[in-house]
Amino acid sequence: EFIFDSVTLLFSKIKFIWMRKGFYLLALSFFVVACAEKVIKEPNNLIPINKMEDILYDIAIINAAKNINAELLRKNNIGVMEYVYAKYGIDSIQFADSDIYYASIPSTYEAIYTKVLDSIKIEEKTANENQKKHNDSITEAVKKSNKPPVLNK
């Protein structure tokens, strides 16, 4: 009877372990299928990916400018989204539908935002290089202005 109880206990533990592993495998399978499956139907007026990248880039830049000098945008009556909608010939519903659709496909959404971030980094690098050139030219001009004049013989 002791051996029978031990074997039963052993099999129940094995069964429990397999059930747990099975549960994790099942959950993993659902996750993989869910990520691969399109959860949201593609809207009829879907903004193409490259245009969506441009839109999100502009929104990021304008929002950064707004954080630096909100008064200038307010004084000129510039609304961030209204400007973007007009520039790209879209409306808020088309933008929202496209954004939700792309967000429902995590790998695509991540790729879009990665491209936007890469574009911002390139722009930042260019701006820093231009600022350095500007500062260097000012420094050089100051150095030249402090030199005594060269006399012609």
Side-chain angles (χ1 to χ4, degrees), residues 20-152:
R20 254 187 32 206
K21 284 185 179 180
F23 171 75
Y24 290 127
L25 287 173
L26 184 63
L28 181 63
S29 299
F30 282 131
F31 179 73
V32 168
V33 169
C35 288
E37 183 180 319
K38 291 185 179 179
V39 178
I40 296 177
K41 186 180 146 213
E42 183 176 315
N44 293 333
N45 59 353
L46 181 67
I47 298 170
I49 289 177
N50 60 343
K51 188 174 182 179
M52 191 70 167
E53 292 165 353
D54 293 342
I55 291 168
L56 293 172
Y57 172 82
D58 281 356
I59 290 170
I61 296 298
I62 295 169
N63 279 329
K66 188 167 104 176
N67 288 332
I68 292 170
N69 195 349
E71 183 58 33
L72 182 63
L73 293 173
R74 194 174 18 260
K75 190 168 98 175
N76 291 310
N77 199 27
I78 298 173
V80 174
M81 296 310 293
E82 292 78 16
Y83 169 78
V84 170
Y85 298 151
K87 178 179 178 181
Y88 290 98
I90 60 172
D91 60 30
S92 60
I93 294 171
Q94 183 181 12
F95 175 74
D97 288 347
S98 297
D99 192 50
I100 290 169
Y101 173 75
Y102 288 128
S104 74
I105 310 167
S107 58
T108 302
Y109 207 55
E110 181 181 11
I112 290 170
Y113 273 92
T114 298
K115 181 126 187 225
V116 170
L117 185 58
D118 290 346
S119 297
I120 290 170
K121 286 178 182 177
I122 290 168
E123 189 70 28
E124 180 182 33
K125 182 180 176 190
T126 303
N128 288 339
E129 288 170 356
N130 290 339
Q131 184 65 45
K132 184 179 180 332
K133 286 178 187 176
H134 177 73
N135 291 345
D136 290 348
S137 68
I138 291 173
T139 302
E140 189 63 32
V142 168
K143 284 180 184 177
K144 285 182 180 179
S145 68
N146 290 336
K147 288 184 179 178
V150 177
L151 299 173
N152 291 335

